Structures are given as structure tokens and as C-alpha cells.
Amino acid sequence: MSDVLSVQGLSVTVRDKTLVQDVDLTVGPGERVGLIGESGSGKSLTALSVIGLLPEDVHAAGSVRLAGVSHELIGADERRMSRVRGLQLAMVFQEPMTALNPTMRVGDQVAEAMLIHRTVPGRRSARLAATELLDRVGLAGAMKTYPHQLSGGQRQRIVVALALANDPALLICDEPTTALDVTVQAMILDLIMQGVAARESALLFITHDLAVVATICQRVLVMYGGRVVEAGPVGEVFTRPRHRYTQGLLAASDLESADARLPTIPGNVPAAGQFPSGCVFRTRCAHATELCAEVPPWEGTPAHGFACHHPAPAMEPTHA
Amino acid sequence: MILRLVERTAVLLVSLAVASVLVFGFMAVLPGDPARVALGVNASDEAVAQLRQQFGLDRSLATQYVDWLGGLLQGDFGTSYVSKVAIGPQIADRFQVTLWLVVTAMIVALVLAAPAGTVMAARHRRISGLALSALSQLGVAVPAFLAGILLIMVFAVKLGWLPANGWTPPAEDPGMFLKQLVLPALSLGLVQGAVLTRYVRSAVLDVLREDYLRTARAKGLRPFPALWRHGLRNAAVPVVTVLGLQLATLLIGAVVVERVFVIPGLGSLLLDGVSNRDLLLVQDVVMVLVVAVLVVNFLVDLLYVALDPRLRVSR
């Protein structure tokens, strides 16, 4: 089966700074893929490049193809991209409080998603479909409310409803629960899972929360410094990480085994565009040698592999 | 919503009452006896006393105030101490003239500023946006009377297309009325429009950065339709504020342009009143202006609520 999303050699630059480099990424039909990394690792920029909504002075290069769309998405003009956005490709953003138009009733905002692409015959059927969508996200009777009358979790449910309105082939979620209370998170995740399952949509889920990835995704890509440093099935990557960054990330998230102090990765994430040459992690890595000044080659298959000169041994337990 | 309306109406009424006390009080504490002022320094004490009695100036201030306010509420603005002519009809006449001028000017300003400001915001990094921006800066720097003189020089003197000055009531000769309205309305409207453009630009720029506009784009709306459907109302809120302020300022600020075009507006009536020491006339005109400003603010408040549902929450 061919992939729903295929990203190849994606790089994102702002003026002379490179923020994302050589990202390869595929998502199969109905597959749920996680993109994980700290702030500034380039995961959001990767997502925005796919949907073509990068800020004005930020530019993407490389190749992004979507199944069912005959043209390249990188560099496609607005006219063509607007036909893809919201129809085959939808996105849920991080901040639900500001994602909806405060002066428009939420029902109209959901209905609009279908009217734009004419996936419903007219206004009345759009309204009916919107009512049903809201019903399914547990907000029956919210058609006539305004965003300010709803909580953050409720607003995010609206955003999820309108992203799924046209049964997209791919749903991108950029930290959709980060801004929400923990109690609300599970409900939103559940809605997203149900929503993509019912539509057989593929999911690209961006987060820094390892637990969320473990619950939601089948495959995960770990990003650091604008590069994918490790990729593979969630179970493999999380139990047997090979890249030293992944290893550190997992150790820092492991609450159970940390008896006194939580292990941390030394140092800070460098500022955008300030990452070292060669292996981007080498300035913070305990295993780094002179060899790391060269960009490590990708070991393994595109779907399951890592880029590290000094990988953790294949069978080494996560926390020694 | 209803509650809000009641609340704003109450605020309006209280402000009007306070304003009337202030206007009356301010005129009352001005040094000099209005009757003496009206008759001049050489008038005999008897004549002054007679005038005081004639206009009830010998009564207590409280009585005078109640009498004045009661008259205003019934549409009676009193009689001038100086010209002995009823003030009400004069103000009505002049106010109408100014209102025509100011409202037309504001329409010109809005029709100019809304598209220009939007284009400037949408293209703020391109040459076309910068050029428009520079043009509007120039417009802001030009005083309205200078714009008026320039317009007269070009369209009245050089080209002879339009009359250089004068005023004809619309009922008398609609064609002439319109012709004479064009240049003064343009000179006010262009300058106010340039100022308003700056505000439209910044309001639209703010909206363009909003997350909900990105959501609209992610739904599949192209940039301009997204801005139109989701940005317009949101950007309108700050613009309406400025529009209200400009309208209020112009009611009196139009006087300079009224002088340039020899238009008998409210501003010139006020200036005449001041130079003739016609204190009651001044008092009445000031009160009318205060009422107009307060009513404009009231309407702006209501417009906010209509535009932004977040303000409809009853407290």
C-alpha cells in the first residue's frame, strides 16, 4: 500500500538559519505516527510545512506528497493548497483558546469547513452535518454558542470536530492537549483516536509527551535540532532506544525508576539555528567523540533506524 | 444584551445630567455679569438691571439652571441676550449643515481607509504596501484646511469643475448642494481617512496574527476570504472606537474647513457667539456638542456589543 503522506528531504529555513534539515517521514493509510521532541526540535515546523502554513519569512524545501493529490505540496500556490487543506489534510493546533473566531457561532465555524469544500449540498445540510459532528464530540446543543462560552477542552473538541468534518486522509495534531488540564487530555485523545479510526484517516501526532505517544501511536519519530534522530515502532523505540538522545529523553521521563532525582539531559536545547555541525546532539551527549563532528549516517531502514555514531547497544536496558 | 442596553442608557442619562451641570456651572462662574457683557461697558445701570430682569438673570442660579434645562428638554434654547433672537432655530440650522458635512466626510474616510488599510496590512512587507503606507503618512501630516485650499485651487480655480465655496440647503437645490458638499467633505474626509487608515492597518495586522485566522486557512480558505470572513468583525472593534472619536472631534473641528469654504456650520456659530459675547448662545452650542459626543459614544458602545459577542455576557 502506498503511503498517505510522504515527506522527503524536508528542510525549513528562515533567512540564513536552517531550522529543519533532511527530514524524511512517511505515514501509511490509517497509520498513527508520533513526532516527538523538545521545544525547538522542529516538529511543529515540519507539520506546518506539510500543510503549507509556515510564517511568512520561513521557507520549506524538499518534497511533500499526499495520496490523492497530484501535485507537490511544497511550493504549491495558494489556489491549489487551499483545495487540499481542510479536505484531504486537516490540522488541530495547540492552543484551543484562540483557535476559534470569537465573533462567530461555533456551529457556523464547523459548518463552514464543509461549505468551503462543498462536501455537503447546501447550508441546511451543512448545519445538519455540523450538529451531528458536535453531537459526536459530546457537545450536542453547542451549535449556537460562541467560543467564549466554552471551556478550553470544549473548544478543542470543536476544533477536532471541524478538522474531521471532511473525513481527511491525514489529520495532523500539533500538541493538541498540551494546553489542557490533564483530566481533559484523555477525553480529547480519545476523540482523536475514535475520529481517525472511524474515518480510516492517518494521524501525524506531534507532542513532547512520551506517554501520549505510547498510548496513541504505532510508530514514532524522534526529532532533535531539526533532524530526525531515531524512528521505529513505539514499542521498540521506547524499550530499546538506540540514539543517545532518545535514551536520555526516556530516562528523563521515567518516573518509576527514579528513586531520588530524575535524570536530566545536561545542558539546554541550543537556540534555533545554533545547533552544532555534525551530530546535532553532540554538545550535550556524554558519548560524543571527535567522530561526531560528522553527520552520522542513518542506520537501519527508513521506517526503523537511527542516526548515531555511538548508539546504545541493541539490547541495553533503558535505565542501567 | 437587554441588560447591557439598559446599563449603557443609564450611563448616558447620568452623563448628560452631569454635563449639563458642568456646562451651566462653567458659564456661571465666568467673571462678569452676562447682561453687562451683552450691553457693553458704557450701558447704564438701569438698562443692565432691566435686561437682567427681562432674561431672569436676577433669579438664583438653581432656578436659572432648572429653567434652562427644562427649556432644553422641550426644545426651547432660549433667546440671545445680544441679538434678542431665538437660539433654537439657529442651532438647528447650523447643526444640520455640520452634520451633513461631517457624516459625508466620515463616509469618505471609511470608504478610503477600509480597503487601503487592509491592503497595507496584507502587503506590509511589499513595495505596494509600503507605498500606500507612506502616502497615508503624508495624508496624516496635511491639515484639513490646507487640503481644502489645495482642492479649491485645483478643482475650483484651475479646472472649474466645482464651486469654490458656499452652501445651499439640500431641500432648496439638491444639485447645487451636492456640488458644494464635494470639496469640503473631501478635504475633511481625506485627512481623517489617512488617520483612520493607520488604525485599520494595525487592526488588520493584529487580526492576521491571530490563531483563528490560521484555523480558517487550515480549513481551506484562501488568505483574503479568510480575512474577510473571520477578520473583518474582529478588526472592526478598534476601528469603530477611532471612528467614534473622529466623528465627535469633527463636529467642532470642522470649523476650520467650514471657514475655508464659507459654510455656515455649528463651529462658526460658536465662534460668532464667542466674539459677540453671546453667552447663552455659547452655552447652548457647547451643550449641543456635548450631547452629540455622548450620543456618539453611546452608539459606539452599542456597536461594540453588536460586533463582539464576548461583550454580551451579562454581569
Side-chain angles (χ1 to χ4, degrees):
Chain A
M1 245 189 304
S2 71
D3 293 319
V4 171
L5 174 72
S6 166
V7 176
Q8 257 149 29
L10 177 75
S11 63
V12 177
T13 51
V14 55
R15 287 177 295 274
D16 54 336
K17 283 180 188 158
T18 302
L19 305 177
V20 170
Q21 209 170 351
D22 289 334
V23 167
D24 292 346
L25 153 70
T26 57
V27 184
E31 196 184 14
R32 300 187 302 273
V33 175
L35 199 53
I36 198 164
E38 292 165 272
S39 325
S41 61
K43 51 196 196 307
S44 289
L45 286 174
T46 303
L48 289 173
S49 312
V50 170
I51 199 167
L53 289 177
L54 285 170
E56 245 179 273
D57 43 4
V58 183
H59 301 285
S63 165
V64 174
R65 300 298 301 243
L66 195 67
V69 178
S70 59
H71 57 85
E72 172 63 49
L73 297 195
I74 297 280
D77 57 26
E78 270 303 318
R79 193 172 48 85
R80 291 211 258 178
M81 274 314 282
S82 62
R83 285 192 203 131
V84 177
R85 285 187 207 122
L87 186 61
Q88 286 126 312
L89 175 59
M91 186 155 173
V92 173
F93 298 97
Q94 179 175 349
E95 184 44 76
M97 296 310 277
T98 50
L100 294 168
N101 180 351
T103 60
M104 199 190 255
R105 295 180 198 277
V106 295
D108 292 339
Q109 299 194 48
V110 175
E112 188 191 34
M114 290 168 278
L115 285 168
I116 292 168
H117 297 286
R118 301 208 176 86
T119 49
V120 287
R123 291 194 168 275
R124 184 166 303 163
S125 38
R127 210 159 291 148
L128 274 174
T131 313
E132 202 180 311
L133 275 166
L134 290 184
D135 201 18
R136 248 181 278 155
V137 297
L139 286 172
M143 281 297 282
K144 290 200 182 297
T145 55
Y146 285 99
H148 72 269
Q149 296 167 302
L150 303 170
S151 70
Q154 288 171 324
R155 290 187 213 188
Q156 196 65 309
R157 282 191 260 165
I158 306 273
V159 175
V160 170
L162 72 82
L164 291 172
N166 294 320
D167 304 341
L170 175 68
L171 178 69
I172 303 177
C173 294
D174 186 0
E175 309 225 17
T177 57
T178 305
L180 300 174
D181 287 346
V182 181
T183 46
V184 185
Q185 279 190 16
M187 177 187 277
I188 297 291
L189 294 178
D190 206 39
L191 274 179
I192 293 171
M193 287 286 273
Q194 281 175 16
V196 294
R199 291 164 179 82
E200 295 177 347
S201 307
L203 177 69
L204 180 60
F205 197 98
I206 296 165
T207 181
H208 59 253
D209 191 333
L210 297 155
V212 169
V213 171
T215 344
I216 295 244
C217 300
Q218 298 152 330
R219 216 147 51 73
V220 62
L221 286 88
V222 183
M223 282 191 80
Y224 182 83
R227 288 174 183 271
V228 176
V229 294
E230 183 155 11
V234 170
E236 288 285 317
V237 173
F238 281 9
T239 50
R240 285 183 291 276
R242 301 298 306 278
H243 197 284
R244 294 295 180 179
Y245 172 67
T246 317
Q247 198 184 21
L249 198 62
L250 284 165
S253 317
D254 196 336
L255 292 173
E256 280 158 32
S257 71
D259 13 72
R261 284 188 62 171
L262 210 54
T264 54
I265 300 175
N268 290 311
V269 181
Q274 303 292 312
F275 286 93
S277 61
C279 174
V280 279
F281 188 56
R282 71 183 161 106
T283 43
R284 297 174 70 191
C285 183
H287 302 266
T289 60
E290 278 165 28
L291 182 62
C292 299
E294 279 170 44
V295 178
W298 187 260
E299 307 270 342
T301 63
H304 186 191
F306 58 90
C308 182
H309 289 297
H310 309 287
M315 290 312 290
E316 187 185 319
T318 314
H319 21 269
Chain B
M1 183 80 197
I2 302 285
L3 199 78
R4 181 98 187 174
L5 188 67
V6 171
E7 180 196 276
R8 297 322 302 177
T9 312
V11 169
L12 174 68
L13 292 177
V14 171
S15 325
L16 285 174
V18 173
S20 71
V21 174
L22 287 177
V23 170
F24 182 86
F26 186 68
M27 297 308 283
V29 297
L30 280 184
D33 173 4
R36 170 68 71 189
V37 169
L39 291 174
V41 279
N42 296 327
S44 67
D45 288 351
E46 291 79 46
V48 172
Q50 199 196 343
L51 194 73
R52 286 174 61 90
Q53 200 191 4
Q54 189 187 341
F55 288 102
L57 294 172
D58 48 356
R59 297 171 300 167
S60 77
L61 278 178
T63 321
Q64 286 185 51
Y65 169 74
V66 170
D67 193 42
W68 174 65
L69 192 66
L72 286 187
L73 290 176
Q74 293 162 35
D76 176 13
F77 286 74
T79 307
S80 161
Y81 310 147
V82 181
S83 61
K84 313 282 193 300
V85 179
I87 294 170
Q90 292 186 60
I91 291 186
D93 246 27
R94 301 296 193 94
F95 191 65
Q96 217 185 9
V97 171
T98 297
L99 211 58
W100 271 114
L101 178 60
V102 168
V103 169
T104 318
M106 287 316 296
I107 291 171
V108 170
L110 193 61
V111 165
L112 186 85
T118 306
V119 169
M120 273 159 60
R123 302 179 170 244
H124 70 284
R125 289 175 191 219
R126 295 188 218 157
I127 296 292
S128 51
L130 287 175
L132 268 175
S133 208
L135 201 67
S136 81
Q137 290 284 23
L138 195 71
V140 173
V142 174
F145 78 89
L146 189 62
I149 292 170
L150 290 172
L151 285 172
I152 291 175
M153 273 169 57
V154 176
F155 292 100
V157 179
K158 270 247 162 75
L159 298 168
W161 292 352
L162 293 160
N165 55 32
W167 181 264
T168 314
E172 212 170 279
D173 181 353
M176 197 58 189
F177 161 74
L178 285 177
K179 275 188 194 170
Q180 288 178 333
L181 183 62
V182 171
L183 289 186
L186 271 184
S187 20
L188 279 179
L190 290 178
V191 173
Q192 295 297 323
V195 176
L196 196 59
T197 303
R198 310 297 307 170
Y199 287 94
V200 173
R201 176 180 179 271
S202 89
V204 173
L205 266 183
D206 283 348
V207 165
L208 282 173
R209 293 191 197 105
E210 290 284 354
D211 281 354
Y212 54 77
L213 220 66
R214 187 175 61 180
T215 307
R217 298 277 310 279
K219 277 183 192 175
L221 282 175
R222 283 156 75 176
F224 187 75
L227 183 60
W228 179 260
R229 291 187 48 89
H230 293 276
L232 199 66
R233 257 174 91 163
N234 290 291
V237 174
V239 172
V240 161
T241 314
V242 179
L243 208 61
L245 284 174
Q246 285 191 318
L247 194 61
T249 319
L250 274 197
L251 285 175
I252 185 70
V255 63
V256 182
V257 167
E258 285 172 0
R259 283 276 149 130
V260 171
F261 288 94
V262 199
I263 292 171
L266 201 59
S268 0
L269 184 66
L270 181 62
L271 285 188
D272 291 347
V274 170
S275 49
N276 294 337
R277 313 234 183 282
D278 198 341
L279 294 186
L280 185 59
L281 178 70
V282 171
Q283 185 175 318
D284 283 348
V285 173
V286 170
M287 192 61 211
V288 165
L289 287 169
V290 169
V291 171
V293 169
L294 288 174
V295 168
V296 165
N297 285 345
F298 172 71
L299 294 177
V300 164
D301 258 3
L302 292 191
L303 207 50
Y304 281 160
V305 179
L307 285 169
D308 192 342
R310 282 171 293 187
L311 300 174
R312 285 173 216 163
V313 187
S314 37
R315 275 168 285 164

